[in-house]
Amino acid sequence: MDVYAVMGNPIGHSKSPRIHGLFAAQTGENLRYTAIEASLDGFETEVRHFFQEGGNGLNITVPFKERAWQLVDRKQPRAELAGAVNTIWSLNGELVGDNTDGIGLVQDLIGNQGCMLREQRILVVGAGGAVRGILEPLLERKPAEVTVANRTLAKAEQLVELFGHLGPLRASRFEDLDGPYDLIINGTSASLAGELPPLPTSVIGPHTQVYDMMYGNQETPFNRWAREQGAAKVMDGLGMLVEQAAEAFFLWRGLRPDTAPVLAQLRQRL
Ligand code: NDP
């Protein structure tokens, strides 16, 4: 039986074994997918050990995506640019790394949520690893403008330097934002601490759609705030999680699972 796993620290909360288990059952693929908690100082050794023991593929999650980027022998172009790797497989004795987070977000926005990105004014909040992974697929969809706002402005400016050649991208401080935007994507980890990035309320208008990359069994603080400001629609990141997993499954198995029933099951469990 082929063996896959997600590696992170902590890993107990991960939904990836369940998602890939559902994909395997749906497609009739004979595989096992587990969760491995790698130690903070032994991540690289554990990845190599996994593949030496005959493992077929790994997903990588917090806090190891940048270290996975350093570790692999070869990277797909979108992972190279993202600076983070969340999917690894072995090919002719080499470890190959890819990043499926960005395409997962875009697939969820367009395919599941029916959002339009073309010609839209998009605000991306945050400039960490997750945002780095989404800028290329977002800009590929030809938005009118993408503004990256971050608490530490220099990090947003760095992203503009890296991705600015792909489309209309600019950096901003929170207080300098002028709205409303058509779509706001929260890629900060503020919600994890129950906090809110201090955005001016003017970023939200009656037609603004809001996507928080975080998800949970309750509405995220960011989405609650956006709804209270009158946003047209709020969405969480559960669909992104399922779609990035589907893209990884495709890379490993050459099959695209139907994500809708899997997302519905996960949503029901939340
Ligand atoms: P990073 O640690 O790399 O980046 C965190 C970002 O959040 C930085 O821009 C940081 O700003 C900002 N931030 C943190 N706290 C605050 C605050 N209180 N106010 C304002 N800004 C804040 O994290 P990641 O990029 O890896 O992850 C970001 C989020 O995306 C997480 O919630 C994660 O769960 C989610 N995610 C969801 C996925 C999905 O499949 N749904 C996939 C990947 C990530 P500064 O630079 O100033 O420190």
Side-chain angles (χ1 to χ4, degrees), residues 183-201:
L183 173 66
I184 301 178
I185 299 168
N186 179 27
T188 72
S189 50
S191 284
L192 286 173
E195 289 170 4
L196 280 173
L199 300 182
T201 55

Side-chain angles (χ1 to χ4, degrees), residues 62 65-66 101 125-131 150-153 155 174 186-192 195-198 211-215 237-238 240-242 244:
V62 180
K65 290 182 193 180
E66 284 83 7
D101 281 336
V125 190
V131 167
N150 195 45
R151 184 172 59 183
T152 313
L153 179 66
K155 278 211 222 160
F174 292 144
N186 179 27
T188 72
S189 50
S191 284
L192 286 173
E195 289 170 4
L196 280 173
Y211 191 103
D212 193 346
M213 286 170 58
M214 216 190 107
Y215 53 84
L238 191 66
M240 174 179 177
L241 180 77
V242 173
Q244 64 77 26

Side-chain angles (χ1 to χ4, degrees), residues 83-130:
V85 157
N86 78 335
T87 306
I88 304 180
W89 63 95
S90 170
L91 187 69
N92 305 326
E94 282 189 329
L95 293 183
V96 186
D98 202 347
N99 186 316
T100 65
D101 281 336
I103 193 70
L105 169 77
V106 168
Q107 184 57 33
D108 188 38
L109 279 170
I110 295 177
N112 301 333
Q113 305 285 359
C115 291
M116 210 175 63
L117 301 179
R118 201 178 179 85
E119 298 299 327
Q120 301 295 290
R121 283 190 80 209
I122 301 176
L123 170 62
V124 175
V125 190

